Amino acid sequence: MSTAILVLEDGRTFRGESYGAAGTTVGEAVFSTGMTGYQETLTDPSYHRQVVVMTAPHIGNTGVNGEDDESRRIWVAGFVVRDPARRPANWRATGTLDDELVEHGVVGISGVDTRALTRHLRDRGAMRVGISTELAADELLQRVQAAPSMTGADLAPEVTTPEPYTVPAVGERRYTIAALDLGIKAATPRHLAELGVETRVLPATATAAELLDAGPDGVFLSNGPGDPAASDYAVEAVRGVLDARRPLFGICFGNQILGRALGLGTYKLPFGHRGLNQPVLDRVTDSVRVTSQNHGFAVDAPLDRAVDTPYGRVEVSHVGLNDQVVEGLRCLDVPAFSVQFHPEAAAGPHDAAPLFQRFVDLMEDNRAEA
């Protein structure tokens, strides 16, 4: 097995063995605390242009299969593991993770002290990184330091669907919604379909008029990669939906876009939240949910009071219990709400799944008032 090196933009270097494709890759170094769900992580468009460090030591045990992909391809820029499985041991496996990374051209590294790497990122913050099987450390460092930052990156148009498509409801169709694909995961319309919702998925640059025409009952804002401060087109579309008083539900990147549409700011977190074990306080039900998260930016809003916006009062509905980060918004005067985490939980806990029903209830209430 060939050797590989990992170099962070501050010069910290780790050496290991090649895992996946040979070559060189550069991206933003982030870490994920999930012990399972690596296939869903790899295929989550929200990880576009990021090199993911898995904190769990053993990765690849369950192989890969044709059912758990969350999109049409692997999106991570690179993959870092400590101890890769020698062979998968799961009845659903149809191949190995190593072979899957090779097939998709994803450069990775194994044998790395991922605890030390994670502690470094927690202390210094997420930063640019490179992995290579062919370059010397000093040459790789130059390439890393020349790479673009995630701050200011507009990435949703790079991962969105090129053409609209429809995911039909399971059984009777009760509602029809439009989903703004900022990097949507396959599990989201699947969950909605089970509640009788037909989802018409539109590209990230769809206008408010296109969303309102496609989704007569409601509009959904998906997760996605990049800096929300760079997505003015999505903010403008959401403002049009709010002006129309159409029920709206956003998750992850969609939460940040809703926040911006309401006039709130966003900012980059030191190292973000990524994994399947993030505790969140739901202030609406006064309960704690363990959630699946993947975000490096957050909404800037006061936790102790509702704020006045051009669309009425808005309050923080969810709070992260690890660091008091805003994890959800609830509009009190228009039919809209959002959360920073992933209620579709692919992979992850299902504590937040009832939020899809809350969206359905909001559409039903709006229909009754019409």
Side-chain angles (χ1 to χ4, degrees), residues 139-150:
E139 186 178 357
L140 182 57
L141 177 59
Q142 292 178 7
R143 189 171 298 191
V144 168
Q145 292 177 340
S149 170
M150 190 61 70

Side-chain angles (χ1 to χ4, degrees), residues 4-359:
I5 59 171
L6 181 152
V7 178
L8 294 162
E9 69 174 87
D10 64 358
R12 181 83 184 263
T13 301
F14 294 81
R15 300 184 183 275
E17 298 177 335
S18 175
Y19 185 58
T24 300
T25 189
V26 174
E28 181 187 47
V30 299
F31 60 87
S32 173
T33 57
M35 295 183 67
T36 60
Y38 56 80
Q39 183 171 340
E40 290 89 343
T41 293
L42 290 166
T43 56
D44 180 352
S46 297
Y47 281 111
H48 179 41
R49 248 177 58 180
Q50 292 181 320
V51 174
V52 177
V53 180
M54 301 299 293
T55 62
H58 300 293
I59 299 296
N61 297 0
T62 56
V64 296
N65 60 65
E67 301 174 11
D68 292 340
D69 287 348
E70 284 302 313
S71 66
R72 62 188 183 276
R73 52 165 283 192
I74 290 178
W75 285 102
V76 302
F79 203 48
V80 184
V81 302
R82 179 171 179 174
D83 296 319
R86 298 184 207 174
R87 64 182 64 87
N90 185 276
W91 65 273
R92 298 174 68 233
T94 57
T96 70
L97 176 56
D98 190 13
D99 289 343
E100 189 78 357
L101 294 174
V102 171
E103 180 180 343
H104 288 265
V106 178
V107 178
I109 185 172
S110 66
V112 170
D113 185 346
T114 49
R115 289 189 303 174
L117 177 52
T118 299
R119 287 177 67 90
H120 191 79
L121 295 174
R122 284 180 60 90
D123 291 342
R124 307 290 181 87
M127 64 181 77
R128 293 166 295 179
V129 66
I131 302 173
S132 182
T133 62
E134 56 193 5
L135 300 180
D138 55 350
E139 186 178 357
L140 182 57
L141 177 59
Q142 292 178 7
R143 189 171 298 191
V144 168
Q145 292 177 340
S149 170
M150 190 61 70
T151 301
D154 181 19
L155 301 182
E158 297 181 14
V159 303
T160 191
T161 179
E163 298 292 337
Y165 65 91
T166 298
V167 179
V170 174
E172 178 186 0
R173 183 182 66 188
R174 300 173 56 208
Y175 307 94
T176 302
I177 68 166
L180 188 63
D181 178 10
L182 304 167
I184 198 167
K185 295 166 70 175
T188 299
R190 187 166 64 241
H191 274 270
L192 289 165
E194 293 172 355
L195 296 174
V197 177
E198 177 181 278
T199 301
R200 298 173 182 172
V201 183
L202 275 65
T205 54
T207 65
E210 290 169 335
L211 291 169
L212 294 170
D213 287 345
D217 296 306
V219 172
F220 175 81
L221 311 177
S222 82
N223 58 289
D227 185 346
S231 301
D232 291 344
Y233 51 88
V235 172
E236 195 63 31
V238 170
R239 285 175 176 158
V241 174
L242 294 173
D243 286 336
R245 299 300 192 266
R246 194 71 55 88
L248 183 145
F249 176 34
I251 70 169
C252 198
F253 196 75
N255 174 66
Q256 298 159 17
I257 294 300
L258 175 60
R260 284 201 58 208
L262 295 168
L264 303 173
T266 58
Y267 64 98
K268 196 174 192 309
L269 294 167
F271 49 80
H273 303 163
R274 297 172 181 88
L276 319 178
N277 48 7
Q278 306 289 327
V280 168
L281 173 63
D282 182 342
R283 290 175 159 185
V284 176
T285 62
D286 195 28
S287 59
V288 175
R289 312 287 188 184
V290 178
T291 68
S292 176
Q293 297 193 18
N294 171 18
H295 65 109
F297 293 84
V299 174
D300 187 9
L303 303 181
D304 59 345
R305 67 186 188 279
V307 295
D308 293 323
T309 77
Y311 298 96
R313 295 165 301 145
V314 177
E315 66 179 12
V316 173
S317 59
H318 297 75
V319 179
L321 294 178
N322 286 333
D323 51 11
Q324 301 300 297
V325 166
V326 173
E327 294 284 355
L329 300 170
R330 182 170 68 150
C331 297
L332 303 180
D333 300 309
V334 293
F337 72 104
S338 59
V339 293
Q340 187 56 66
F341 44 91
H342 290 257
E344 85 288 341
H350 299 282
D351 292 19
L355 288 168
F356 288 117
Q357 183 61 54
R358 188 181 297 181
F359 183 35

